[in-house]
Amino acid sequence: MTKSSNKIDSKNVKVDVHYLTRVEGHGNIVVDVKDGKLTKCEFQVIESPRFFESMLVKRSIWEAQHLTSRICGICACGHSLASVKAGEDALGIKPSEETIMLRKLLLYAEQMDSHILHIYILVAPDLLGVKSIVPLVKTHRPVIEMALRMKRMSDYAGEVLAGRHIHPISYVIGGLTQLPSQEGLEKLYKMMLDARKDTEQTIKIIKTLKFPEFQRPTQYMSLSSNEEYAMYDGDLVVNKGSKTKVRDYRKLFSEQVKDYSRAKVSTINGKSYAVGALSRFNNNSDKLNKKAKEAARELGLKAPCHNPYLNTAAQLVEWVHCLEESIIIMEKILKDGINENKVVVPSWPKRSELDKIKYKPNTGAACVEVPRGSLFHEYTIDDTGHITAANCVIPTNQNMGNLEDDMAKLVPELLGKKTQEEITLDLEMLARAYDPCISCATHLLDVKFV
Amino acid sequence: MKKQSKPKVAFFDFTDCEGCQLQIANTGQTLLDIMELVDIVNFREVMSEAGEDYDVAFVEGSISTDNDVKRIKKIREKAKIVVAFGACATIGGVNGIKNRFPLEVAKDRVYGDKADTVNTIKNMPLHEVIKVDYFIHGCVPYIPEIVTVLKCILMGKPYVLPNYPVCVECKMNENVCRYEKDQECMGPVTRAGCNSWCINNGNRCYGCRGLVDSPAVDAAKDILSKYGLKVDDILQSFTLYNDSMGEKYDKEFK
């Protein structure tokens, strides 16, 4: 960070955060105010490019899930699910209802895992005025132990359901390679019930923390469904408006490459938009379960909410929703069992049969809601079942333009009121509120006042 | 390392998905125990401070830009011990797939007419650029192995990598051989140490830990031919994680 004085200068501010910390990936924030005028406000993704869309070309559609879960260590389950759904769309395969139920369980676990990591490890230190959780281990040990316990529960869910949470093993096109063990499921169910108490405690803690005041209404995009609070499936909506089919996503938004960033930037009707917990909450809060609605009330979160800092509160509401929905699914599984024949794909991928499959050249697309927002995978396959073109649209990229527009509105509001250090921290916190995941986008944040 | 001094540990990431660092957070309660034994001075993903004084550098990710090369050399100069952490760092990982296309093609496919703004070089594992002291293989690394290596570092001992194939662990776990299930599997030549993680969960081995030293190539070829496969059939699968090691591996097999 560049050196700056404590004197408040309302005319000239330079922010230059190089390598934003406590986010996934590598990014910079560069802001320049000269003579009271905002001349530069950029969020630069400086991660080394990884070329996943290129890596997928010429690989078998059956390999896509394995490869694309490596796009991100945090949302590996989400990438995996978007990938198998897109593969199934291209191949014309319909998974069983029981498979979908298990996939939802995995997706909820990932939402919980990522949200709790974000709330406690990435955001809470800012609100408590420290640089990381490291000092909190001494000063707030019971809370940190609770956070790790909550994280452990959701992480264990990944282990039981898919072999592991980071780069899941058993969730593939058509179903699962193996059923979760009964013993593991029972242990997981007990951990989920225990997590209710920690959840109540967490709501009490987050309630006392003060989030910065800032308002900027924008376009909020997410999946939406008549049946449920949409995460696994649905149509695309913007501010509760008309519905767009996932396959038509290119008609709804477009992507551009910017010179200063490795991540592409998306727009709807030429304007920036937000995805993620707050967007989902704004579009679908009426579909939340009872306990999640109560949590929202207790946290003072009401739709539509136009304060991006409160994305963290929306994440906690989603934690509650996902936990309760998971408990319902677990109770059903423990009572009725899982029909192995409907779920397990024993032939996957059977070498001697794979070569005989007649493939129809086709394009398949899918979207799932991952912790940071709507994630799209789209693959085109040829008549040998190999990928000829791929497109992955990552939530962080979609949020990038919106974050820049937030920063452009926020900086002038802070001029003359806050020091350069304070403005820098507010901008870092704003970026962190989006929970940017730059390793996907490719990586995120470093603020430069230049 | 001197007795009773707490080693200063730093984490760095290069081109990767950050899953390896996350795996540290997933050690749960063990994380708190680890924090009693070491001082974590640099961990961008979870800390705002960035200490430049460290003894042990855990490095995840592969080297894929000129800037990466400069940065990793600086880290090597400062650290007493460098740990290559995870498949991207130890063998290049999935990022290596880009090596099989001309760089221009890869850039163009992803960034179109803005491809010229992208700086990228051949993808390399760490040991091709600097000396590496410890290797923790895997995509993602297996937590018990992470803990074992950490203990070795704290005791100043080398970590001896398992030098037998995944099949050994797989047999002990009583899995049915994937070849018996009409699937291909890299287990016969891949370095063990993951407790045959993927096969235990109904999938096959994808070779994310790289080749075992001196693989029993003839035996592997026998298995392939017994099930009606040729070396070329399986080499394509090796490209998933091992393309950065391509020439070396080609020599082993051909």
Side-chain angles (χ1 to χ4, degrees):
Chain A
M1 220 173 292
T2 48
K3 265 194 169 177
S4 54
S5 70
N6 281 322
K7 205 175 125 226
I8 296 176
D9 179 349
S10 59
K11 296 280 184 201
N12 297 287
V13 175
K14 276 175 185 288
V15 175
D16 187 352
V17 175
H18 192 68
Y19 271 15
L20 179 66
T21 55
R22 276 187 283 131
V23 296
E24 311 302 326
H26 306 152
N28 300 338
I29 299 175
V30 181
V31 172
D32 194 8
V33 180
K34 268 190 198 127
D35 299 328
K37 222 175 127 196
L38 185 68
T39 56
K40 197 173 196 177
C41 186
E42 292 176 357
F43 182 74
Q44 306 173 338
V45 169
I46 47 159
E47 182 85 346
S48 314
R50 298 180 67 207
F51 304 106
F52 266 95
E53 284 125 324
S54 181
M55 286 183 205
L56 284 161
V57 173
K58 293 194 179 166
R59 299 211 82 98
S60 161
I61 185 71
W62 304 96
E63 254 181 349
Q65 166 273 340
H66 184 89
L67 185 53
T68 53
S69 68
R70 268 73 188 172
I71 291 176
C72 176
I74 300 239
C75 302
C77 296
H79 276 287
S80 213
L81 293 173
S83 186
V84 294
K85 280 180 70 189
E88 286 166 354
D89 193 36
L91 295 166
I93 292 175
K94 282 221 178 320
S96 70
E97 273 178 39
E98 286 183 292
T99 297
I100 291 172
M101 183 177 76
L102 286 163
R103 286 181 184 173
K104 283 183 184 171
L105 204 50
L106 185 69
L107 191 58
Y108 295 152
E110 183 171 82
Q111 296 278 2
M112 289 192 275
D113 195 74
S114 176
H115 284 353
I116 215 66
L117 181 84
H118 183 239
I119 292 167
Y120 275 118
I121 298 185
L122 308 185
V123 171
D126 282 333
L127 299 172
L128 294 167
V130 290
K131 297 278 184 195
S132 74
I133 65 151
V134 176
L136 298 179
V137 173
K138 285 214 168 74
T139 56
H140 295 69
R141 187 153 181 125
V143 177
I144 297 304
E145 283 184 347
M146 179 173 75
L148 288 174
R149 194 161 59 229
M150 293 169 88
K151 172 138 181 33
R152 180 69 198 131
M153 183 277 287
S154 43
D155 188 49
Y156 183 69
E159 232 170 279
V160 171
L161 297 168
R164 64 187 169 213
H165 171 233
I166 304 174
H167 310 330
I169 299 167
S170 61
Y171 282 49
V172 296
I173 286 179
L176 270 62
T177 56
Q178 184 163 293
L179 282 189
S181 76
Q182 182 69 19
E183 191 194 351
L185 288 170
E186 280 166 14
K187 185 175 163 196
L188 175 61
Y189 177 62
K190 199 182 163 297
M191 286 167 99
M192 284 178 170
L193 294 182
D194 290 346
R196 279 177 166 158
K197 212 194 246 167
D198 290 340
T199 304
E200 280 171 28
Q201 185 68 17
T202 300
I203 293 170
K204 284 201 183 104
I205 292 169
I206 300 301
K207 220 174 113 173
T208 62
L209 300 177
K210 205 170 150 30
F211 291 91
E213 297 281 345
F214 173 65
Q215 301 279 324
R216 192 181 74 86
T218 183
Q219 307 184 91
Y220 299 96
M221 188 187 88
S222 71
L223 284 177
S224 189
S225 153
N226 293 332
E227 277 86 53
E228 60 184 358
Y229 188 86
M231 292 219 181
Y232 178 75
D233 220 346
D235 294 325
L236 298 166
V237 298
V238 181
N239 292 355
K240 292 187 158 190
S242 60
K243 291 183 173 176
T244 304
K245 291 274 170 222
V246 168
R247 273 189 157 215
D248 296 328
Y249 74 94
R250 284 171 196 266
K251 290 182 193 159
L252 186 63
F253 60 85
S254 59
E255 290 184 285
Q256 290 94 31
V257 177
K258 288 200 179 179
D259 293 340
Y260 56 80
S261 180
R262 288 287 70 78
K264 295 177 182 179
V265 177
S266 312
T267 54
I268 293 176
N269 296 323
K271 286 187 196 140
S272 63
Y273 65 96
V275 293
L278 192 61
S279 290
R280 292 190 289 256
F281 177 80
N282 280 345
N283 285 333
N284 305 319
S285 63
D286 55 323
K287 294 279 189 304
L288 287 167
N289 56 34
K290 194 167 154 259
K291 282 214 172 176
K293 280 182 181 161
E294 279 168 20
R297 256 196 305 278
E298 205 173 334
L299 291 164
L301 190 68
K302 253 174 98 175
C305 167
H306 300 140
N307 180 354
Y309 286 101
L310 290 180
N311 189 46
T312 307
Q315 288 178 326
L316 182 52
V317 170
E318 286 194 338
W319 160 281
V320 178
H321 180 82
C322 292
L323 178 64
E324 293 305 318
E325 293 300 300
S326 300
I327 288 173
I328 293 170
I329 295 177
M330 290 295 291
E331 284 171 349
K332 188 172 158 37
I333 290 174
L334 291 174
K335 185 167 155 274
D336 303 342
I338 308 169
N339 185 335
E340 186 166 353
N341 296 329
K342 285 188 182 168
V343 174
V344 175
V345 211
S347 60
W348 188 89
K350 218 168 200 168
R351 181 113 212 159
S352 57
E353 282 171 17
L354 269 185
D355 296 341
K356 290 176 203 148
I357 298 176
K358 293 252 181 291
Y359 294 93
K360 203 175 93 191
N362 197 9
T363 297
C367 173
V368 293
E369 288 289 337
V370 292
R372 289 154 193 82
S374 317
L375 167 68
F376 299 82
H377 279 217
E378 183 183 55
Y379 311 133
T380 302
I381 54 167
D382 61 15
D383 59 4
T384 65
H386 286 78
I387 295 170
T388 56
N391 193 29
C392 302
V393 186
I394 314 298
T396 295
N397 291 6
Q398 299 176 69
N399 273 329
M400 208 80 59
N402 206 64
L403 170 57
E404 284 189 346
D405 287 350
D406 277 353
M407 294 196 304
K409 177 164 189 282
L410 179 63
V411 171
E413 288 179 10
L414 300 179
L415 289 178
K417 292 179 199 152
K418 293 199 171 187
T419 62
Q420 187 153 301
E421 281 87 353
E422 288 166 339
I423 294 175
T424 301
L425 180 63
D426 276 13
L427 289 174
E428 288 193 24
M429 285 171 66
L430 180 63
R432 267 182 218 121
Y434 278 86
D435 199 4
C437 189
I438 313 173
S439 34
C440 298
T442 66
H443 276 200
L444 204 63
L445 200 60
D446 192 3
V447 181
K448 289 184 184 173
F449 282 114
V450 291
Chain B
M1 222 161 281
K2 267 189 224 158
K3 246 188 179 175
Q4 286 168 346
S5 69
K6 264 189 169 188
K8 294 192 182 82
V9 176
F11 288 84
F12 299 99
D13 43 45
F14 285 80
T15 304
D16 65 352
C17 77
E18 307 207 356
C20 298
Q21 286 185 54
L22 191 62
Q23 194 69 321
I24 295 284
N26 287 346
T27 56
Q29 189 63 35
T30 311
L31 180 65
L32 297 180
D33 299 337
I34 293 170
M35 285 167 79
E36 302 272 323
L37 298 171
V38 302
D39 277 332
I40 297 177
V41 297
N42 193 323
F43 198 158
R44 189 193 48 75
E45 211 173 38
V46 294
M47 301 165 76
S48 284
E49 300 109 323
E52 288 302 318
D53 173 24
Y54 43 83
D55 304 307
V56 185
F58 275 79
V59 183
E60 60 160 45
S62 61
I63 304 302
S64 77
T65 67
D66 293 329
N67 192 41
D68 286 353
V69 174
K70 282 185 211 145
R71 217 178 124 222
I72 191 65
K73 283 184 176 168
K74 269 193 195 150
I75 290 170
R76 177 69 268 186
E77 276 169 26
K78 285 184 184 171
K80 294 187 184 82
I81 292 168
V82 172
V83 185
F85 187 35
C88 294
T90 60
I91 57 172
V94 294
N95 300 324
I97 296 173
K98 85 166 188 191
N99 289 4
R100 67 182 26 240
F101 300 108
L103 284 177
E104 296 312 314
V105 173
K107 286 201 283 190
D108 193 54
R109 270 190 198 135
V110 182
Y111 294 100
D113 60 2
K114 293 281 168 74
D116 288 347
T117 65
V118 180
N119 165 350
T120 185
I121 57 172
K122 187 184 86 156
N123 186 70
M124 292 175 282
L126 298 188
H127 68 264
E128 285 190 7
V129 185
I130 57 156
K131 180 181 164 275
V132 170
D133 304 295
Y134 289 85
F135 289 84
I136 304 180
H137 286 282
C139 180
V140 287
Y142 186 55
I143 289 176
E145 192 180 33
I146 299 174
V147 175
T148 303
V149 175
L150 202 60
K151 281 185 196 161
C152 289
I153 293 172
L154 288 170
M155 292 187 293
K157 288 182 177 173
Y159 172 61
V160 182
L161 285 163
N163 201 12
Y164 44 84
V166 171
C167 292
V168 173
E169 292 173 337
C170 198
K171 288 279 171 296
M172 291 204 284
N173 287 319
E174 301 182 353
N175 293 313
V176 175
C177 178
R178 293 300 106 168
Y179 286 97
E180 281 298 315
K181 292 190 150 203
D182 195 6
Q183 293 170 341
E184 67 179 34
C185 183
M186 331 284 252
V189 287
T190 298
R191 187 188 300 281
C194 62
N195 194 31
S196 63
W197 208 347
C198 292
I199 306 114
N200 301 350
N201 285 281
N203 216 312
R204 62 189 174 95
C205 175
Y206 290 85
C208 74
R209 298 174 57 87
L211 277 190
V212 64
D213 298 338
S214 317
V217 175
D218 289 339
K221 283 179 181 167
D222 284 350
I223 296 173
L224 292 177
S225 81
K226 182 179 166 191
Y227 293 95
L229 295 164
K230 295 191 195 81
V231 172
D232 281 349
D233 289 329
I234 203 160
L235 281 182
Q236 163 69 10
S237 297
F238 265 104
T239 63
L240 193 61
Y241 287 100
N242 296 279
D243 244 15
S244 291
M245 307 286 279
E247 283 171 30
K248 179 176 182 282
Y249 287 6
D250 280 354
K251 262 186 228 153
E252 299 272 10
F253 277 102
K254 288 179 177 169

